[in-house]
């Protein structure tokens, strides 16, 4: 982990880090990654992946149910306008919409 | 500008919203069109802590169905992955999508190229994902601050992504391909695929390379020798099938002009501006997208058995290409008739229903030719004029059959029949009444015509004698006299046949 990688990750997460913060967090991130590395050292060749398998039939049938009320949906929003969640700032631009 | 030096290489990404009742991973109603904002939303759509996505069985069936209809291989397991990016239209911080193992892969469809040639477009993959929220962007008038309004009703609606191989070679092929995909999803009832409503979205990737300097390799293209590939340009905001073609034509021209001027092409995303008919720069893509995909731990691996696939395959209906083949083989219809009659599933059904009604008293090839003629003629002309659908409500099948029979018996003219179809669409105009009156009138004028013909024969003895002595051409003069007397209202063919009958009788 170097400063450049950390800066990139921060940008992807839309977090601004000052040089001082980058300096401080880089070794911390390294420690975290080192701990994760220890897990990767474990030999798991004989262990099959633990992800659960389900049959196609067990999936959810396509039926709709009632959603939350608009009031409930907007409850945690700092800003709202005519039923929409309102977000200040320049959103479009650097990140792609699907 | 010399276009002949260059190859155009296009890949098309198409997103289609599936027509399910509920969303992809939760039970919210998926039909969000014109609904109050943020009323089809639950903790899943909002990415609230503890919410657990549960895949919609029907949505996955529809994705498999599309894969089967486009000759794809269907995977035996379904894996969902998280595609990470931070944007308010995606409150979880990731979109549930599929990365390494799409449900369907390696398919193909055939399209009509220029000069009626067939061209096969490869499909690299079809995978299932979820749609994101809708945001609109504004500026606050009193503060000048930029802000966005977000509606989460669309967030989580099932979305199928279809990725073509880069073997689309012209703007026209791209249009034909997009239109074929739309036709297939509509035929199968997977989606209404209305581009204006955003139910279908097309994003072409376009690159222009010098001929002979590149080749296909591993589903992509590579340079030959020292040549440096021109980067590709992605076009967004395409709101119609025709804009697929227009935007690519514009973009190809723009890129070639730049190359010819010796300017560098940069990898970028551009937006189609339909009003101005141009593409506009949106953003450059200097680095590869970094979505940090990972398997979604919330969703188990779904096993698809061969029986499951078989069950889904029963939903495949006869698709346009097969219908066209059948119409040609069984009915000997023209290419044009076949294409327009199969363009829309409802119309082809209507056509087939009328053919089967009319086949009761004649052979089906003869019936089909008649019906095709009437639908592509009178019915289409009326439906275009009045902007109405071709269906039982507007054009009752038994009425059309009766008109065809009456016309072919010579009881009414083609123009009269079309007039009756038109009039019967107006209020208070009963079809039976209209047709009975028309037949009665036709008979009356036929009687009149006989009288007029008699008069003409009596008044033109010289011409009659000329005709009888072998001057066949004189008949034209006599028909002219009948037309004169009827002020041009008589049917000349009818006048001729009555004249001949009387003169020979």
């Amino acid at each position: 982990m170097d400063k450049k990688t950390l800066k990139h990750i921060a940008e992807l997460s839309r977090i601004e880090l000052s040089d001082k913060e980058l300096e401080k967090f880089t070794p911390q991130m390294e420690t975290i990654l080192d701990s994760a590395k220890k897990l990767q050292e474990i030999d798991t060749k004989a262990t099959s992946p633990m992800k659960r398998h389900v049959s196609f039939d067990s999936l959810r049938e396509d039926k709709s149910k009632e959603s939350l009320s608009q009031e409930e949906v907007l409850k945690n929003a700092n800003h709202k306008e005519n039923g929409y969640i309102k977000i200040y700032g320049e959103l479009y631009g650097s990140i792609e919409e699907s | 500008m010399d276009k002949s030096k260059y190859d155009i290489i296009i890949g098309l990404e198409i997103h289609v919203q599936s027509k399910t009742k509920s969303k992809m991973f939760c039970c919210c109603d998926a039909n969000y069109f014109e609904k109050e904002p943020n009323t089809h939303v639950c903790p899943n759509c909002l990415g609230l802590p503890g919410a657990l996505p549960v895949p919609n069985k029907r949505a996955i069936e529809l994705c498999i169905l599309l894969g089967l209809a486009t000759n794809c291989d269907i995977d035996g397991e379904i894996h969902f992955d998280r595609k990470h990016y931070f944007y308010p239209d995606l409150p979880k911080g990731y979109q549930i999508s599929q990365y390494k193992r799409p449900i369907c892969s390696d398919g193909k469809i055939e399209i009509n190229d220029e000069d009626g040639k067939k061209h096969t477009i490869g499909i690299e993959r079809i995978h299932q994902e979820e749609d994101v929220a809708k945001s609109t962007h504004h500026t606050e008038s009193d503060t000048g601050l930029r802000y966005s309004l977000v509606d989460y009703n669309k967030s989580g609606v099932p979305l199928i992504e279809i990725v073509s191989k880069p073997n689309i070679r012209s703007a026209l092929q791209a249009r034909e391909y997009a239109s074929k995909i739309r036709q297939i999803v509509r035929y199968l009832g997977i989606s209404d695929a209305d581009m204006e409503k955003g139910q279908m979205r097309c994003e072409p990737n376009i690159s222009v390379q010098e001929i002979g300097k590149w080749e296909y390799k591993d589903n992509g293209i590579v340079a030959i020798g020292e040549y440096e590939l021109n980067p590709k340009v992605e076009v967004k905001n395409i709101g119609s099938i025709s804009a697929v073609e227009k935007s690519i034509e514009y973009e190809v021209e723009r890129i070639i002009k730049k190359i010819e001027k010796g300017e560098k092409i940069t990898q970028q995303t551009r937006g189609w501006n339909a009003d101005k008919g141009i593409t506009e720069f949106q953003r450059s893509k200097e680095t590869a997208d970094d979505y940090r995909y990972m398997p979604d731990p919330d969703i188990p691996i779904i096993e698809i058995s061969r029986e499951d696939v078989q069950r889904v395959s029963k939903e495949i209906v006869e698709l346009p290409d097969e219908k066209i083949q059948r119409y040609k083989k069984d009915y000997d219809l023209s290419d044009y008739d076949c294409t327009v009659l199969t363009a829309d599933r409802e119309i082809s059904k209507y056509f087939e229903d009328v053919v089967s009604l009319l086949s009761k008293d004649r052979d089906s090839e003869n019936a089909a030719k008649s019906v095709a003629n009437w639908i592509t003629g009178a019915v289409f002309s009326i439906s275009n004029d009045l902007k109405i659908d071709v269906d039982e409500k507007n054009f009752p099948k038994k009425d059309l059959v009766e008109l065809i029979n009456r016309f072919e018996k010579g009881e009414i003219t083609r123009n009269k029949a079309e007039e009756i179809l038109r009039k019967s669409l107006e209020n208070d105009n009963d079809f039976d009444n209209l047709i009975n009156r028309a037949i009665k009138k036709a008979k009356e004028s036929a009687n009149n015509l006989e009288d007029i013909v008699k008069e003409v024969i009596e008044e033109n003895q010289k011409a009659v004698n000329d005709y009888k002595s072998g001057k066949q051409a004189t008949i034209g003069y006599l028909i002219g006299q009948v037309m004169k007397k009827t002020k041009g209202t008589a049917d000349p063919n009818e006048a001729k046949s009555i004249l001949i009958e009387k003169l020979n009788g």
Side-chain angles (χ1 to χ4, degrees):
Chain A
M1 173 65 60
D2 53 20
K3 263 165 67 179
K4 207 180 138 202
T5 315
L6 185 61
K7 196 160 183 272
H8 176 61
I9 293 169
E11 273 165 7
L12 289 173
S13 311
R14 307 219 155 196
I15 298 169
E16 273 180 51
L17 294 180
S18 65
D19 272 348
K20 218 174 130 193
E21 284 168 322
L22 282 172
E23 208 69 62
K24 183 178 164 192
F25 293 143
T26 306
Q28 288 184 9
M29 284 291 279
E30 217 153 315
T31 318
I32 295 167
L33 286 176
D34 279 343
S35 316
K37 237 181 227 158
K38 286 216 173 77
L39 285 173
Q40 285 175 328
E41 282 163 15
I42 301 166
D43 181 8
T44 56
K45 273 188 205 115
T47 319
S48 51
M50 298 233 281
K51 196 157 178 181
R52 198 160 59 97
H53 283 237
V54 295
S55 73
F56 191 55
D57 275 336
S58 68
L59 296 180
R60 179 172 62 83
E61 294 297 331
D62 182 29
K63 284 182 193 139
S64 64
K65 284 187 198 151
E66 204 165 321
S67 305
L68 296 174
S69 69
Q70 193 188 57
E71 194 185 314
E72 284 171 304
V73 173
L74 300 177
K75 210 170 181 177
N76 295 324
N78 288 335
H79 307 280
K80 52 204 110 177
E81 189 177 301
N82 300 327
Y84 295 92
I85 293 181
K86 184 175 185 179
I87 297 153
Y88 284 97
E90 192 110 3
L91 297 181
Y92 40 100
S94 64
I95 289 187
E96 177 169 354
E97 274 182 273
S98 279
Chain B
M1 195 173 74
D2 183 11
K3 282 191 188 175
S4 63
K5 275 161 60 187
Y6 303 99
D7 277 327
I8 301 160
I9 303 135
I10 304 161
L12 205 59
E13 269 178 33
I14 298 180
H15 284 91
V16 172
Q17 277 180 350
S18 318
K19 207 160 76 173
T20 54
K21 293 187 185 76
S22 63
K23 289 187 179 178
M24 186 62 223
F25 296 108
C26 66
C27 292
C28 287
D29 190 336
N31 178 16
Y32 64 91
F33 185 66
E34 289 185 339
K35 295 290 187 305
E36 270 288 297
N38 295 309
T39 53
H40 291 193
V41 178
C42 74
N44 259 296
C45 312
L46 290 172
L48 296 183
L52 197 65
V54 186
N56 181 337
K57 187 177 173 185
R58 184 62 191 150
I60 292 175
E61 283 175 353
L62 292 177
C63 187
I64 293 173
L65 185 60
L66 181 57
L68 291 171
T70 51
N71 311 292
C72 287
D73 300 329
I74 311 297
D75 200 350
E77 287 178 359
I78 296 179
H79 294 243
F80 281 106
D81 300 291
R82 293 182 175 184
K83 176 182 179 179
H84 295 89
Y85 66 91
F86 276 96
Y87 200 80
D89 67 12
L90 197 63
K92 294 196 292 291
Y94 57 85
Q95 178 189 32
I96 305 177
S97 181
Q98 295 189 286
Y99 184 45
K100 283 193 179 145
R101 292 182 67 162
I103 300 180
C104 323
S105 55
D106 205 17
K108 57 172 193 274
I109 58 169
E110 218 172 51
I111 57 154
N112 290 321
D113 201 354
E114 270 154 307
D115 317 322
K117 276 186 229 142
K118 298 280 177 197
H119 181 75
T120 302
I121 307 284
I123 291 174
E124 192 181 309
R125 55 185 287 155
I126 299 177
H127 71 251
Q128 184 65 53
E129 54 185 37
E130 55 175 346
D131 209 344
V132 299
K134 178 171 175 55
S135 37
T136 52
H137 311 297
H138 314 267
T139 306
E140 217 164 49
S141 55
D142 40 355
T143 62
L145 288 175
R146 303 267 236 166
Y147 67 95
S148 300
L149 295 179
V150 192
D151 171 12
Y152 289 94
N153 286 348
K154 185 163 78 77
S155 166
V157 169
L159 200 61
I160 298 173
E161 180 172 330
I162 307 138
V163 184
S164 86
K165 289 180 181 167
N167 72 323
I168 300 172
R169 303 302 305 279
S170 69
L172 180 123
Q173 285 184 2
R175 185 197 72 199
E176 286 297 308
Y177 168 76
S179 145
K180 195 57 159 283
I181 292 286
R182 183 176 66 174
Q183 199 180 35
I184 292 172
V185 298
R186 284 180 175 172
Y187 256 74
L188 294 172
I190 293 170
S191 174
D192 291 337
D194 184 333
M195 290 184 71
E196 277 182 27
K197 289 184 187 165
Q199 293 165 340
M200 174 169 159
R201 297 156 227 166
C202 295
E203 284 151 19
N205 276 294
I206 307 156
S207 87
V208 175
Q209 312 295 349
E210 282 177 41
I211 290 178
K213 302 277 180 73
W214 63 278
E215 61 188 342
Y216 283 115
K217 200 181 172 190
D218 303 330
N219 285 335
I221 63 168
V222 292
I224 297 173
E226 299 288 289
Y227 182 70
E228 204 178 311
L229 287 179
N230 288 316
K232 58 186 180 186
V233 172
E234 189 176 342
V235 181
K236 288 178 176 273
N237 299 347
I238 292 175
S240 67
I241 295 282
S242 63
V244 172
E245 184 177 19
K246 283 186 206 145
S247 64
I248 294 173
E249 275 170 358
Y250 177 88
E251 200 45 36
V252 165
E253 195 148 318
R254 190 190 67 84
I255 296 171
I256 292 178
K257 270 186 195 157
K258 272 196 167 269
I259 297 175
E260 297 273 283
K261 276 195 222 156
E263 289 174 33
K264 197 172 157 21
I265 312 295
T266 52
Q267 187 168 348
Q268 56 185 272
T269 302
R270 301 179 69 85
W272 173 243
N273 183 326
D275 294 332
K276 293 185 187 161
I278 60 168
T279 64
E280 293 165 329
F281 176 83
Q282 284 187 333
R283 65 191 183 96
S284 70
K285 275 185 141 181
E286 279 164 8
T287 50
D289 293 323
D290 191 350
Y291 292 124
R292 293 149 295 148
Y293 282 99
M294 62 172 264
D296 192 319
D298 285 342
I299 306 170
I301 292 164
I302 302 153
E303 287 175 0
I304 307 285
S305 67
R306 276 169 65 181
E307 290 72 32
D308 293 327
V309 176
Q310 228 151 33
R311 197 183 62 239
V312 175
S313 71
K314 291 204 179 100
E315 288 188 52
I316 292 194
V317 295
E318 188 185 34
L319 291 169
D321 283 354
E322 294 152 336
K323 267 196 198 297
I324 288 173
Q325 289 312 315
R326 181 163 63 86
Y327 288 1
K328 279 189 184 160
K329 186 169 155 275
D330 292 358
Y331 304 147
D332 192 31
L333 294 184
S334 69
D335 284 347
Y336 172 81
D337 282 351
C338 289
T339 309
V340 295
L341 290 170
T342 58
D344 182 303
R345 190 181 169 192
E346 296 306 313
I347 288 175
S348 71
K349 172 130 197 340
Y350 179 86
F351 164 73
E352 288 171 23
D353 288 349
V354 181
V355 171
S356 87
L357 278 177
L358 197 64
S359 299
K360 278 178 187 152
D361 50 20
R362 61 174 91 185
D363 77 75
S364 60
E365 183 179 325
N366 177 295
K369 281 189 167 144
S370 259
V371 177
N373 202 329
W374 281 85
I375 293 181
T376 59
V379 173
F380 277 0
S381 142
I382 297 169
S383 80
N384 281 338
D385 288 350
L386 304 179
K387 308 246 175 308
I388 54 172
D389 289 334
V390 176
D391 58 18
E392 176 67 23
K393 188 180 127 275
N394 293 328
F395 304 95
K397 291 161 198 156
K398 69 161 193 33
D399 293 358
L400 187 60
V401 167
E402 182 163 358
L403 282 178
I404 294 173
N405 280 327
R406 300 278 187 185
F407 165 75
E408 288 178 0
K409 277 188 209 154
E411 293 177 339
I412 48 170
T413 62
R414 187 177 282 277
N415 285 341
K416 194 73 201 169
E418 187 174 334
E419 191 189 309
I420 293 172
L421 268 184
R422 236 177 241 279
K423 278 199 177 157
S424 66
L425 279 162
E426 292 165 11
N427 293 337
D428 307 327
N429 267 324
D430 174 44
F431 176 82
D432 292 333
N433 218 340
L434 284 169
I435 196 153
N436 287 335
R437 260 193 292 160
I439 291 166
K440 203 172 150 222
K441 244 180 130 179
K443 273 189 187 149
E444 279 168 17
S445 70
N447 287 335
N448 278 340
L449 198 58
E450 277 205 42
D451 293 341
I452 291 167
V453 168
K454 271 186 206 160
E455 275 175 42
V456 167
I457 289 176
E458 278 162 24
E459 289 164 13
N460 295 280
Q461 277 305 315
K462 189 179 173 294
V464 170
N465 289 336
D466 284 351
Y467 176 82
K468 283 186 173 165
S469 65
K471 278 191 189 166
Q472 300 266 322
T474 325
I475 195 85
Y477 171 78
L478 292 169
I479 295 170
Q481 294 308 305
V482 175
M483 296 308 286
K484 211 169 154 188
K485 273 189 185 287
T486 59
K487 296 191 172 68
T489 58
D491 179 343
N493 283 319
E494 231 176 313
K496 184 179 175 183
S497 63
I498 299 174
L499 268 167
I500 291 174
E501 197 188 307
K502 301 272 177 221
L503 292 169
N504 295 342

